[in-house]
Amino acid sequence: MGDQVQPTSAPIVELRNIVKHYGSVIALAGVSMTVNRGEVHCLLGDNGAGKSTLIKTLSGVVRPTAGDILIDGATTSFNSPRDALDAGIATVYQDLAMIPLMSVTRNFFMGREPLKGVPPFRYIDFRRCNAITHDEMGKIGIDVRDPHQAVGTLSGGERQCVAIARAVYFGAKVLILDEPTSALGVRQTSMVLKYVHQVRQKGLGVIFISHNVRHAYAVGDRFTILNRGRTLGTYAKTAIAMDELQNLMAGGKELEQLAAELGGTV
């Protein structure tokens, strides 16, 4: 097993001993992790490991029972998702928070459209909105010929990229991707992973949540494994092989025990 690593630079986000209780249920039992600029930090774990709760805590959806959240070294707290957005933390959830029948442009801006005119006679500057949407999507290799087309006509990978491009355009410093490749085919997954790499090169910090080790290993720099609300460790890509990572995430001892009981391999 690879050696656990310690970040050498000041992290853009740091979580210290985050605890979250729902009554008698302990969802998180002291989770710590850091995210650096220009880094993809993968958060791995099976269903029920605590990934979603940790991300809801960081994105301002829920407040932790205990523990500290530091942004650029300063301790902070979020009372709402708006607070997290104002701090530069943007979350792209599995459902993408998009309206399929609305245009690509309307989904790209989603309530943040630039306005023209003098109050009270202000109106949305659709010409500018369409131009920005076309240009931003073109930068990542997606040719949206008609920004007025319904976003539901795009492929799953393209819609995922629209959501990521939207977050980046509006100033995200940290991008949280919740299972971004879970429902995508091989080609669409490749499109998303390539764009995540572009985002990293721009200097953003990325938290990539997944239970697919292969996808995470393709793009990740460091990996934190969660199991039943606890951190099993953080490992640099150079310090751990993909098979070791898979074994840690899936619970190697449990699989070995099951294999012995079944009289074969799992």
Side-chain angles (χ1 to χ4, degrees), residues 15 18 27-33 42-55 209-210 223-235 248-251:
L15 303 178
I18 297 297
L28 297 173
V31 174
S32 299
M33 68 178 289
C42 297
L43 188 61
L44 303 173
D46 211 342
N47 292 334
K51 303 189 303 297
S52 295
T53 302
L54 186 64
I55 292 319
I209 304 138
S210 182
F223 310 90
T224 291
I225 301 100
L226 289 185
N227 185 280
R228 298 176 183 176
R230 298 182 183 277
T231 306
L232 295 185
T234 295
Y235 302 87
L248 266 177
M249 194 193 86

Coordinates of all heavy atoms in Angstrom, one line a residue, residues 15 18 27-33 42-55 209-210 223-235 248-251:
L15 N -10.7 20.7 5.1 CA -11.7 20.2 6.0 C -11.0 19.5 7.2 O -10.2 18.6 7.0 CB -12.7 19.2 5.3 CG -13.4 19.6 4.1 CD1 -14.2 18.5 3.5 CD2 -14.3 20.8 4.4
I18 N -14.4 16.8 10.3 CA -15.8 17.1 10.0 C -16.7 15.9 10.6 O -16.5 14.8 10.2 CB -16.2 17.3 8.6 CG1 -15.4 18.5 8.0 CG2 -17.7 17.5 8.3 CD1 -15.8 19.8 8.7
A27 N -23.3 10.1 10.3 CA -23.0 10.1 8.9 C -21.5 10.3 8.6 O -20.9 9.7 7.7 CB -23.8 11.1 8.1
L28 N -20.9 11.2 9.4 CA -19.5 11.5 9.2 C -18.9 11.5 10.6 O -19.4 12.1 11.6 CB -19.2 12.9 8.6 CG -19.7 13.1 7.2 CD1 -19.6 14.5 6.7 CD2 -19.0 12.1 6.2
A29 N -17.7 10.8 10.8 CA -17.2 10.6 12.1 C -15.7 11.2 12.2 O -14.8 10.5 12.6 CB -17.2 9.1 12.4
G30 N -15.6 12.4 11.7 CA -14.2 13.0 11.8 C -13.4 12.9 10.5 O -12.4 12.3 10.5
V31 N -14.0 13.5 9.4 CA -13.3 13.4 8.1 C -12.5 14.6 7.9 O -12.9 15.8 8.1 CB -14.4 13.2 7.0 CG1 -13.7 13.3 5.6 CG2 -15.1 11.9 7.2
S32 N -11.3 14.4 7.4 CA -10.4 15.5 7.0 C -9.8 15.3 5.6 O -9.6 14.2 5.2 CB -9.2 15.6 8.0 OG -9.6 15.8 9.3
M33 N -9.8 16.4 4.9 CA -9.1 16.4 3.5 C -8.8 17.8 3.1 O -9.3 18.8 3.7 CB -10.1 15.7 2.5 CG -11.3 16.5 2.2 SD -12.4 15.7 0.9 CE -11.4 15.9 -0.5
C42 N -9.8 13.2 -5.7 CA -10.9 12.3 -5.9 C -11.4 11.7 -4.5 O -10.6 11.4 -3.7 CB -10.5 11.1 -6.7 SG -10.1 11.6 -8.4
L43 N -12.7 11.8 -4.3 CA -13.3 11.3 -3.1 C -14.0 10.0 -3.4 O -15.0 10.0 -4.2 CB -14.3 12.3 -2.5 CG -14.9 12.1 -1.2 CD1 -13.8 12.0 -0.1 CD2 -15.9 13.2 -0.8
L44 N -13.5 8.9 -2.9 CA -14.0 7.6 -3.3 C -14.6 6.9 -2.1 O -14.3 7.1 -1.0 CB -12.8 6.7 -3.8 CG -12.0 7.3 -5.0 CD1 -10.7 6.4 -5.2 CD2 -12.8 7.4 -6.2
G45 N -15.6 6.1 -2.5 CA -16.3 5.3 -1.4 C -17.5 4.6 -2.0 O -18.1 5.1 -3.0
D46 N -17.9 3.5 -1.4 CA -19.1 2.8 -1.8 C -20.3 3.6 -1.3 O -20.3 4.6 -0.6 CB -19.1 1.4 -1.3 CG -19.8 0.4 -2.2 OD1 -20.6 0.9 -3.1 OD2 -19.6 -0.8 -2.1
N47 N -21.5 3.1 -1.7 CA -22.8 3.7 -1.3 C -22.8 3.7 0.3 O -22.5 2.6 0.9 CB -24.0 3.0 -1.8 CG -24.1 3.1 -3.3 OD1 -23.6 4.1 -3.9 ND2 -24.7 2.2 -4.0
G48 N -23.2 4.8 0.9 CA -23.3 4.9 2.3 C -21.9 5.2 3.0 O -21.9 5.2 4.2
A49 N -20.9 5.5 2.2 CA -19.6 5.8 2.8 C -19.6 7.2 3.4 O -18.7 7.5 4.3 CB -18.5 5.7 1.7
G50 N -20.5 8.1 3.0 CA -20.5 9.4 3.5 C -20.1 10.5 2.5 O -20.0 11.7 2.9
K51 N -19.9 10.1 1.3 CA -19.5 11.1 0.2 C -20.5 12.2 0.1 O -20.1 13.4 0.1 CB -19.3 10.4 -1.1 CG -18.3 9.2 -1.1 CD -18.0 8.7 -2.5 CE -19.2 8.3 -3.3 NZ -19.9 7.1 -2.7
S52 N -21.8 11.9 -0.1 CA -22.8 12.9 -0.3 C -22.9 13.8 0.9 O -23.1 15.0 0.7 CB -24.1 12.2 -0.6 OG -24.1 11.5 -1.8
T53 N -22.9 13.3 2.1 CA -23.0 14.1 3.3 C -21.8 15.1 3.4 O -22.0 16.3 3.7 CB -23.0 13.3 4.6 OG1 -24.1 12.4 4.5 CG2 -23.2 14.2 5.8
L54 N -20.6 14.7 3.1 CA -19.5 15.5 3.1 C -19.6 16.7 2.1 O -19.3 17.8 2.4 CB -18.2 14.7 2.8 CG -16.9 15.5 3.0 CD1 -16.7 15.9 4.5 CD2 -15.7 14.6 2.6
I55 N -20.1 16.3 0.9 CA -20.2 17.3 -0.1 C -21.3 18.3 0.2 O -21.2 19.5 0.0 CB -20.4 16.7 -1.5 CG1 -19.2 15.9 -1.9 CG2 -20.8 17.7 -2.5 CD1 -17.9 16.6 -1.7
I209 N -16.0 13.2 -7.1 CA -16.7 12.2 -6.3 C -17.1 11.0 -7.2 O -17.7 11.2 -8.2 CB -17.9 12.7 -5.6 CG1 -17.5 13.9 -4.7 CG2 -18.5 11.6 -4.7 CD1 -18.5 15.0 -4.8
S210 N -16.7 9.8 -6.8 CA -17.0 8.7 -7.7 C -16.9 7.4 -6.9 O -16.2 7.3 -5.8 CB -16.0 8.6 -8.9 OG -16.3 7.6 -9.7
F223 N -6.2 10.9 -3.8 CA -7.4 10.1 -3.6 C -7.7 10.0 -2.1 O -6.8 9.5 -1.4 CB -7.3 8.7 -4.2 CG -6.9 8.7 -5.7 CD1 -5.5 8.6 -6.0 CD2 -7.8 8.8 -6.7 CE1 -5.1 8.7 -7.3 CE2 -7.4 8.8 -8.0 CZ -6.0 8.8 -8.3
T224 N -8.9 10.3 -1.7 CA -9.3 10.1 -0.3 C -10.4 9.0 -0.3 O -11.3 9.2 -1.0 CB -9.8 11.4 0.4 OG1 -8.7 12.3 0.5 CG2 -10.4 11.1 1.7
I225 N -10.2 8.0 0.5 CA -11.2 6.9 0.6 C -12.0 7.0 1.8 O -11.4 7.2 2.9 CB -10.5 5.5 0.5 CG1 -9.6 5.4 -0.7 CG2 -11.5 4.4 0.5 CD1 -8.2 5.7 -0.6
L226 N -13.3 7.0 1.6 CA -14.2 7.1 2.8 C -14.9 5.7 3.0 O -15.1 5.0 2.0 CB -15.4 8.1 2.5 CG -15.0 9.6 2.6 CD1 -16.3 10.4 2.5 CD2 -14.3 9.9 3.9
N227 N -15.1 5.3 4.2 CA -15.8 4.1 4.5 C -16.6 4.3 5.8 O -16.0 4.6 6.9 CB -14.8 2.9 4.7 CG -15.4 1.6 4.9 OD1 -15.9 1.3 6.0 ND2 -15.5 0.8 3.9
R228 N -17.9 4.2 5.7 CA -18.8 4.3 6.8 C -18.5 5.6 7.6 O -18.4 5.6 8.9 CB -18.7 3.1 7.7 CG -19.1 1.8 7.0 CD -19.0 0.6 7.8 NE -19.4 -0.6 7.1 CZ -19.2 -1.8 7.5 NH1 -18.8 -2.0 8.8 NH2 -19.6 -2.9 6.8
G229 N -18.3 6.7 6.9 CA -18.2 8.0 7.5 C -16.8 8.3 8.1 O -16.6 9.3 8.7
R230 N -15.8 7.4 7.8 CA -14.4 7.7 8.2 C -13.5 7.7 7.1 O -13.7 7.0 6.0 CB -14.0 6.6 9.2 CG -14.9 6.5 10.5 CD -14.4 5.5 11.5 NE -15.2 5.4 12.7 CZ -15.1 6.2 13.7 NH1 -14.2 7.1 13.7 NH2 -15.9 6.1 14.7
T231 N -12.4 8.4 7.2 CA -11.3 8.4 6.2 C -10.4 7.3 6.4 O -9.8 7.1 7.4 CB -10.6 9.8 6.3 OG1 -11.5 10.9 6.3 CG2 -9.6 9.9 5.1
L232 N -10.2 6.5 5.3 CA -9.2 5.4 5.4 C -7.8 5.9 5.0 O -6.9 5.1 5.2 CB -9.7 4.3 4.4 CG -11.0 3.5 4.8 CD1 -11.2 2.4 3.8 CD2 -11.0 3.0 6.2
G233 N -7.8 7.1 4.4 CA -6.4 7.6 4.1 C -6.5 8.4 2.8 O -7.5 8.4 2.0
T234 N -5.5 9.2 2.6 CA -5.3 10.0 1.4 C -4.0 9.6 0.7 O -3.0 9.6 1.4 CB -5.3 11.5 1.7 OG1 -6.6 11.9 2.2 CG2 -5.0 12.4 0.4
Y235 N -4.1 9.4 -0.6 CA -2.9 8.8 -1.3 C -2.6 9.6 -2.6 O -3.6 9.9 -3.3 CB -3.1 7.3 -1.6 CG -3.4 6.5 -0.4 CD1 -4.7 6.4 0.1 CD2 -2.4 5.9 0.3 CE1 -5.0 5.6 1.3 CE2 -2.6 5.1 1.4 CZ -3.9 5.0 1.9 OH -4.2 4.3 3.1
L248 N -8.9 -1.0 -1.5 CA -9.2 -0.2 -0.3 C -10.7 0.2 -0.3 O -11.3 0.2 0.7 CB -8.3 1.0 -0.3 CG -7.0 0.9 0.5 CD1 -6.2 2.2 0.3 CD2 -7.2 0.7 1.9
M249 N -11.1 0.7 -1.4 CA -12.5 1.3 -1.5 C -13.5 0.2 -1.3 O -14.5 0.4 -0.6 CB -12.7 1.9 -2.9 CG -13.9 2.8 -2.9 SD -14.4 3.3 -4.6 CE -15.4 1.9 -5.1
A250 N -13.3 -1.0 -1.9 CA -14.3 -2.0 -1.9 C -14.3 -2.8 -0.6 O -15.2 -3.6 -0.3 CB -14.1 -3.0 -3.1
G251 N -13.2 -2.7 0.2 CA -13.0 -3.4 1.4 C -12.4 -4.8 1.1 O -13.1 -5.8 1.0

